[in-house]
């Protein structure tokens, strides 16, 4: 079952932050391109640098908080954390995790 992108579930929080991290990477890369190649103006880096830093930390925290609810093993957790390093790695990891069932919410346990 496909989870909607909402902050009310662990999957939703993870998906939103994975996308936000990739978008903030794109903004930072664009800002660096303009700073070093086009106009030697730092405004893009000054805006997207701190934004990307904040989203990066939020993604790391959400990934750590996603491990238990989704019953990820250590390998999946480490891959999720490492996906934050290369540009757009979080989206690649999110798609892989969805395709392999790692973003499926576990069924509620019977009492």
């Amino acid at each position: 079952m496909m989870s909607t992108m909402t902050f009310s579930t662990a999957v939703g929080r993870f998906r939103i932050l994975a996308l936000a991290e990739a978008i903030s990477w794109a903004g930072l890369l664009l800002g660096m391109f303009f700073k070093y190649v086009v106009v030697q103006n730092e405004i893009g880096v000054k805006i997207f640098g701190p934004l990307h830093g904040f989203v990066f930390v939020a993604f790391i925290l959400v990934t750590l908080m996603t491990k238990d609810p989704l019953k990820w093993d250590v390998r999946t957790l480490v891959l999720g954390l490492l996906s934050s390093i290369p540009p757009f790695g979080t989206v690649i990891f999110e798609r892989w995790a969805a395709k392999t069932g790692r973003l499926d919410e576990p069924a509620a346990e019977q009492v």
Side-chain angles (χ1 to χ4, degrees):
M1 179 167 93
M2 187 75 136
S3 175
T4 58
M5 287 184 56
T6 173
F7 274 107
S8 65
T9 66
V11 172
R13 286 185 295 274
F14 178 81
R15 285 191 155 149
I16 289 168
L17 267 297
L19 181 60
E21 206 274 344
I23 291 169
S24 72
W25 246 126
L28 182 57
L29 291 172
L30 188 60
M32 290 190 309
F33 175 75
F34 277 93
K35 176 181 178 181
Y36 296 111
V37 177
V38 180
V39 293
Q40 282 71 43
N41 185 321
E42 294 186 10
I43 191 70
V45 174
K46 286 184 177 184
I47 292 170
F48 285 105
L51 179 64
H52 174 67
F54 174 80
V55 175
F56 171 83
V57 171
F59 176 79
I60 294 296
L61 292 174
V62 164
T63 301
L64 291 169
M65 293 187 302
T66 300
K67 179 189 182 297
D68 289 338
L70 296 185
K71 302 190 183 322
W72 284 356
D73 58 13
V74 172
R75 177 181 171 263
T76 302
L77 174 64
V78 169
L79 288 174
L81 294 171
L82 289 175
S83 75
S84 64
I85 297 171
F88 316 113
T90 56
V91 171
I92 295 167
F93 175 79
E94 185 272 334
R95 289 184 180 195
W96 171 80
K99 188 168 70 169
T100 58
R102 287 168 172 84
L103 292 182
D104 295 342
E105 299 266 0
E109 294 183 17
Q110 301 281 334
V111 178

